[in-house]
Amino acid sequence: MSVHLHWFLPTGGDGRTLVDRHAYTDGGVRRSRITPVSGVRAPDIGYLIQIAKAAEQLGFEAVLTPTGTWCEDAWLTTVALAQHTERLKFLVAFRPGVISPVLAAQMAATYQRITGGRLLLNVVTGGDSIEQRRFGDHLDHDRRYARTDEFLSVVRGVWGGQPFDFAGEHYQVEGGLTALPPDPLPEIFFGGSSAAAGPVAARHTDVYLTWGEPPEQVKQKIDWIRALAEREGRTVRFGIRLHTISRDSSAQAWATANALLDDLSPETVAAAQEALGRSESVGQQRMLALHGGSREGLEISPNLWAGVGLVRGGAGTALVGSHAEVADRIEEYHALGVEHFVLSGYPHLEEAYWFGEGVIPDLAARGLLPGVAPSPLPRPGSAGAPLLVAGGR
């Protein structure tokens, strides 16, 4: 089992300071801001092309593109970026509650033909009712997962190439059909830590994604989903979503991580924690429990730092250390059964180079990335650049 490495596209904005994206009046899309913050980069197509090309050249297999109020649309953005890359795949996040499953299946089929089969799908059920209502979705947490179950049943059904009927609580489809099914079928990535999420993952997902919890907690999740999938007669693969701060030495990496906290006032952290605490997402609550809102004891496991989650929703932990130490942790998760690593680091352009030039060769030398030989590309930026951490996946 090889390691599959993926990077992240900051379609809600990027930069060099550890602040919540909601500090910006427009989510970082333009330069106007409520709180003056230097070093903010708008997610214009030119900048995103730079990140996509860097990811491809460095040896990443795909890039995750988030979904939500503060992001550019993932489908439109990535199909544009596909025209500027050759091999890079796009892990497109989308919410099943705001799109027809038959239309989603058709969009995926078109996407595969346009890009030559470079689509992966990240199904995001949604854990924030306020955010869901912005898009006209008024179901509660558990009913959203029940709807996702039906949604994925329809999507897989209409990909079969024959008229497909479905009668459920949320969808009624008569003769649903994708006239030209996608080839290959996009792999479906899916995450969820609640009791309502587990059975959906077991029945439908190709890759179950978890946020970056300590190895023992990740093992418990893997065991849970694997047992549910076995009851369904299926095999599920596993992935993890993490940030990275990898440097030539451990001291440099931790200095970068610790510098991120200098810009955070107690009021900023408290406000972020209050907002995140209202989330219905069980996974988000697990992320918050790792640090409890405190700046103390943020290294919750060797080289696993929870400081990102003080102000960022979603993935809130980072692998911090020398290139060899970060590779050690990846190898540790891999030994538990984690195959896909969806990574990010801020700013995304510079951190892609730090990881790509430092960690990827180490993983290849360990035999985890057979055949990967990243190009010797120059690394922009300096070792101690502060980071922007924004909300999203």
Side-chain angles (χ1 to χ4, degrees):
M1 179 179 68
S2 298
V3 164
H4 297 266
L5 296 173
H6 313 292
W7 198 242
F8 186 86
L9 284 173
T11 57
D14 201 6
R16 297 177 282 105
T17 306
L18 185 61
V19 293
D20 184 1
R21 70 183 357 158
H22 298 288
Y24 311 110
T25 58
D26 50 22
V29 174
R30 293 184 295 276
R31 299 290 179 176
S32 58
R33 298 179 293 275
I34 294 173
T35 305
V37 178
S38 63
V40 172
R41 303 174 189 177
D44 57 60
I45 194 67
Y47 181 58
L48 295 176
I49 288 171
Q50 290 185 63
I51 296 173
K53 285 187 171 182
E56 181 171 73
Q57 292 168 338
L58 289 164
F60 291 97
E61 181 177 331
V63 284
L64 169 65
T65 307
T67 186
T69 300
W70 310 107
C71 310
E72 298 286 14
D73 177 76
W75 294 91
L76 295 175
T77 301
T78 57
V79 82
L81 294 175
Q83 310 311 302
H84 298 272
T85 53
E86 297 178 0
R87 302 174 307 279
L88 189 69
K89 296 179 182 179
F90 297 93
L91 181 51
V92 173
F94 72 98
R95 295 178 178 173
V98 299
I99 188 172
S100 155
V102 179
L103 177 59
Q106 184 183 43
M107 290 167 63
T110 301
Y111 197 113
Q112 289 296 60
R113 287 189 287 278
I114 289 174
T115 65
R118 292 194 276 153
L119 175 65
L120 306 170
L121 293 175
N122 179 30
V123 177
V124 182
T125 298
D128 183 345
S129 289
I130 295 175
E131 172 79 357
Q132 295 299 123
R133 288 196 293 270
R134 289 193 186 110
F135 291 88
D137 180 11
H138 293 267
L139 296 186
D140 62 27
H141 176 277
D142 286 2
R143 292 184 69 205
R144 288 198 295 268
Y145 277 103
R147 180 182 58 198
T148 297
D149 195 354
E150 293 188 10
F151 183 97
L152 292 175
S153 294
V154 174
V155 167
R156 291 198 182 277
V158 300
W159 277 345
Q162 299 293 328
F164 178 77
D165 296 336
F166 183 87
E169 178 184 356
H170 303 283
Y171 299 105
Q172 295 79 42
V173 175
E174 297 179 8
L177 178 67
T178 300
L180 294 174
D183 184 19
L185 295 180
E187 290 185 294
I188 294 175
F189 288 63
F190 173 90
S193 299
S194 68
V200 181
R203 281 190 285 270
H204 298 288
T205 192
D206 296 303
V207 179
Y208 174 83
L209 275 178
T210 180
W211 285 326
E213 299 177 356
E216 180 55 37
Q217 294 182 32
V218 170
K219 181 181 183 302
Q220 292 171 3
K221 274 191 175 180
I222 289 174
D223 291 344
W224 170 50
I225 296 297
R226 183 173 283 153
L228 291 174
E230 287 175 354
R231 295 177 199 168
E232 298 287 339
R234 299 187 69 245
T235 299
V236 173
R237 287 171 288 124
F238 297 93
I240 193 168
R241 175 76 179 91
L242 287 157
H243 306 284
T244 67
I245 304 174
S246 174
R247 295 293 184 270
D248 295 334
S249 72
S250 181
Q252 290 175 332
W254 283 108
T256 300
N258 290 329
L260 301 181
L261 302 181
D262 294 342
D263 293 331
L264 299 179
S265 68
E267 294 76 18
T268 297
V269 173
Q273 291 298 293
E274 180 182 0
L276 294 172
R278 293 193 293 267
S279 173
E280 298 169 336
S281 166
V282 174
Q284 181 64 73
Q285 298 308 315
R286 290 169 68 105
M287 282 281 99
L288 296 178
L290 295 177
H291 53 70
S294 172
R295 297 169 187 249
E296 304 300 322
L298 289 174
E299 188 178 4
I300 56 175
S301 184
N303 304 108
L304 185 64
W305 185 65
V308 176
L310 290 175
V311 293
R312 185 196 196 277
T317 53
L319 296 179
V320 180
S322 67
H323 305 309
E325 289 172 334
V326 171
D328 287 342
R329 301 287 77 79
I330 289 175
E331 190 169 18
E332 181 180 10
Y333 282 116
H334 181 254
L336 298 177
V338 177
E339 182 177 348
H340 292 263
F341 292 79
V342 184
L343 308 171
S344 56
Y346 301 85
H348 287 76
L349 182 60
E350 286 91 324
E351 288 298 327
Y353 280 94
W354 277 113
F355 187 93
E357 295 179 345
V359 182
I360 286 181
D362 194 319
L363 293 172
R366 300 179 191 211
L368 296 175
L369 299 172
V372 173
S375 302
L377 301 173
R379 176 171 58 220
S382 61
L387 316 178
L388 166 72
V389 174
R393 295 295 296 169

